Every structure is written in C-alpha cells, then in structure tokens.
Amino acid sequence: MEQRLFAVACIMYAFTLFTRYLNKKNKLNSNTSFAWWHASFLFIILSCAVYVLTFVMGGGAGEPLNWSRLVWGIVLSLGCAIYGLLKGKKATDDKRKKIMKADLEWSNTVYFAGFVASVVMFFFIQAFKIPSASMRYTLVEGDHLFVNKAVYGFRVPFTKVRFGAYEQIKPGDIIVFQFPAKDRSQQNCGGSQYGKDFVKRIIAMPGDTVQVKNGRPWVNGKELPKQDYEVYEDLERVPYFEVDDKEEYQNLWEDHLLDNYLGIELRDSFGPVVVPENSYFAMGDNRDNSCDSRFWGPVPRENIKGKAWFVHWPLNRIHWIK
C-alpha cells in the first residue's frame, strides 16, 4: 500500500508543478483552457482516490483486483470531470481564481498526506486485515490490525539492509511477511500465493531442526510445550514416518516444493529439516487449518515486514497482540 500512496503523491505533486508552470506562462486565462484543466484535476484526483480505495477494500496485498469497483470508480471520475468541464467554461474571472485556489489546496494536501503516509507505512506502521482462520483464535477473520515495522529494524529502501532494531525476532513472535514465492507460477496450498501477505507465529530459528509428529511441533529433538493459543481438532492423524532421503527432502522444502509431493500429510508428519541461515519456521495457531512452513518452506528474513502489534477493529476485538 505504501508504494501506491507514494505513486499517488508523486502524481499530485507533478500536477501541482505543471499547474504552476501553466500559470506562469498565462496558459489558463481563457475559459476553455481553464475548463479542461479543472476537468483534468477532478479526473486525476478522483481516479487516485479510487485506485487507493480499490486496494484498501480488496482485502490485502496479492488479492485479485476488484475490477467492477475500479470501473465504477473511473465512470464516476469521468462524470465529475465532465461536470467540471462544463462548470469551468461558464466561470467568471473571480470564480476561476476561487476554483483554482481550492483545487491547488486539495492537490497540495493530497501529495503531502500521501508522502507522509507512505513514509510512515514504509518505516513504522502498516495496516493489515486477517483473511483466513489460520491464526484463530489469537486473530480471527476480519480483524484489522497494525503491524509494527520498526521493531525489527528500519529497512533501507530498495535494499535488504536494516538498522536500528530494538527487538530481535524470537520464537513466539507473530509476524507479517510477504509470501516467499519466486514468481506467480509457484503453487502452494492449492494455488499461487505470490505477492500475498501472511501472518504466522515463529516456531523455530535459523539452525534449528524442526519436526512435526502427530501434528505437534518438535524443535531440536524436543516436543514444544503446548500453549494456550494453540488450536487442534480431534482428527485421525497420519503417523510420523522417517524420510529416506533427508537431503532431497530438505532441498524440496527450501525450494518451496515439498507440499506438491506430500500434500496434506505434512500437517501431521513433517521433517526433520534444518532452518536455513537468515530464515525462520512459522506456523499458524490453528494448527490443523494453517498453510504454513510445513507446506511451503522457510520464511526468509528479508520477507518479514514486521511484528503484529494491535487489533484496532472491530471494537469488541481491540487488544494488544501476544
């Protein structure tokens, strides 16, 4: 979302600079030129609003774009632009000055707010919506939460470099991360997860050996103590079985291909694998209904956006996330 807000801010800033240039050259003195300028402004600012809202209402990164909303939004923008065109052609000199002043104030407000919001969302806080039941009942479908992106360090734009971390990633942390897919052709958990944001809980750290036996996670040869947040169903379990070729198994897991071979069996019988350097093993709290590291592999450090922090909506669900 921060990239979209930044793009909108750049568009409105460019429009403002172009308007100042036209004013300097006295290109907006006639009713016709002014009317087209005002119509362009209305179309651009409303289209930018539709562009942002379409993704906000769509449910998250990587989700299919809602084309019907986008089309209706563009139609609305065109309608307002036509109205602005007709209004501009009838405007007096005083009216033109008032309209232009108001338009430029809106343009300045939008690009300034867009720049500030994109910086805040890139470095500090991002909004996220829970799309599935994989973290139930810690987080349930429809929860709106804030993600603390600064807690694990600020990321230098367009790089993997981070600095200023005041907390290290540790087992038990609930993280939000971009799914580790190389391209859209990669299939995991029944489809392409490319570009989507996931939320899971850290189970194991780099260098740890992980197994799942009868649905329960084991780390470094020891079964993890059952926690209050873990949810299991009364299911018939796949018995744990030792793999013959551990090296091939490890490679398939690191390449995010293991679930294409073993499928749902990985829910109950998994491993052993060694978590690679700069990567983590993550699982959903709803252990029997979670598409997680058992199926699609390790979470690279650079994919982690931040730590789930605070549920702010709905009102009866407001709480700090633990």
Side-chain angles (χ1 to χ4, degrees), residues 305-317:
K305 294 190 171 184
K307 185 178 183 180
W309 189 32
F310 181 76
V311 174
H312 63 86
W313 186 264
L315 295 178
N316 63 337
R317 291 277 303 160

Side-chain angles (χ1 to χ4, degrees), residues 10-11 15 19 22 47 51 54 76 79 85 98 103 113 131 135 148 150 187 212 228 284 294 313:
C10 289
I11 291 171
F15 181 85
T19 299
L22 292 177
S47 295
Y51 175 65
T54 297
L76 174 64
L85 180 67
K98 290 182 180 179
D103 287 355
M135 286 297 292
N148 187 334
Q187 299 291 304
V212 175
D228 292 339
R294 290 171 288 185
W313 186 264

Side-chain angles (χ1 to χ4, degrees), residues 6 9 53 69 271 289 299 301 310 313 316:
F6 185 75
L53 289 175
R69 288 177 184 163
N289 295 279
V299 181
R301 176 66 180 86
F310 181 76
W313 186 264
N316 63 337

Side-chain angles (χ1 to χ4, degrees), residues 252-271:
L252 287 172
W253 181 69
E254 290 189 29
D255 290 338
H256 313 291
L257 298 173
L258 192 58
D259 65 332
N260 295 331
Y261 291 87
L262 297 178
I264 194 61
E265 292 183 3
L266 295 168
R267 181 195 65 197
D268 300 329
S269 177
F270 172 84

Side-chain angles (χ1 to χ4, degrees), residues 146-285:
F146 290 128
V147 179
N148 187 334
K149 300 182 74 173
V151 64
Y152 298 138
F154 299 100
R155 182 163 66 89
V156 178
F158 310 112
T159 73
K160 299 178 182 179
V161 177
R162 291 179 181 267
F163 65 94
Y166 60 88
E167 187 176 313
Q168 297 300 316
I169 299 173
K170 61 186 182 298
D173 285 358
I174 299 176
I175 59 169
V176 172
F177 57 94
Q178 187 174 60
F179 187 83
K182 298 176 182 177
D183 53 52
R184 296 184 185 277
S185 65
Q186 181 177 314
Q187 299 291 304
N188 298 101
C189 301
S192 174
Q193 311 299 330
Y194 179 82
K196 295 182 180 180
D197 286 341
F198 274 39
V199 56
K200 304 292 178 187
R201 191 183 294 271
I202 295 290
I203 299 298
M205 305 291 285
D208 286 343
T209 298
V210 181
Q211 297 167 280
V212 175
K213 301 179 180 181
N214 298 316
R216 296 280 303 131
W218 291 57
V219 177
N220 298 327
K222 297 181 180 180
E223 183 178 1
L224 295 182
K226 191 174 185 305
Q227 304 294 329
D228 292 339
Y229 52 72
E230 293 178 84
V231 176
Y232 293 92
E233 296 181 4
D234 186 15
L235 299 172
E236 183 177 345
R237 300 290 176 181
V238 175
Y240 179 75
F241 58 90
E242 291 282 350
V243 296
D244 295 326
D245 191 336
K246 293 184 179 180
E247 183 178 354
E248 181 184 12
Y249 191 96
Q250 175 83 26
N251 291 335
L252 287 172
W253 181 69
E254 290 189 29
D255 290 338
H256 313 291
L257 298 173
L258 192 58
D259 65 332
N260 295 331
Y261 291 87
L262 297 178
I264 194 61
E265 292 183 3
L266 295 168
R267 181 195 65 197
D268 300 329
S269 177
F270 172 84
V273 297
V274 177
V275 182
E277 184 180 358
N278 293 322
S279 295
Y280 300 86
F281 193 100
M283 294 178 69
D285 288 353

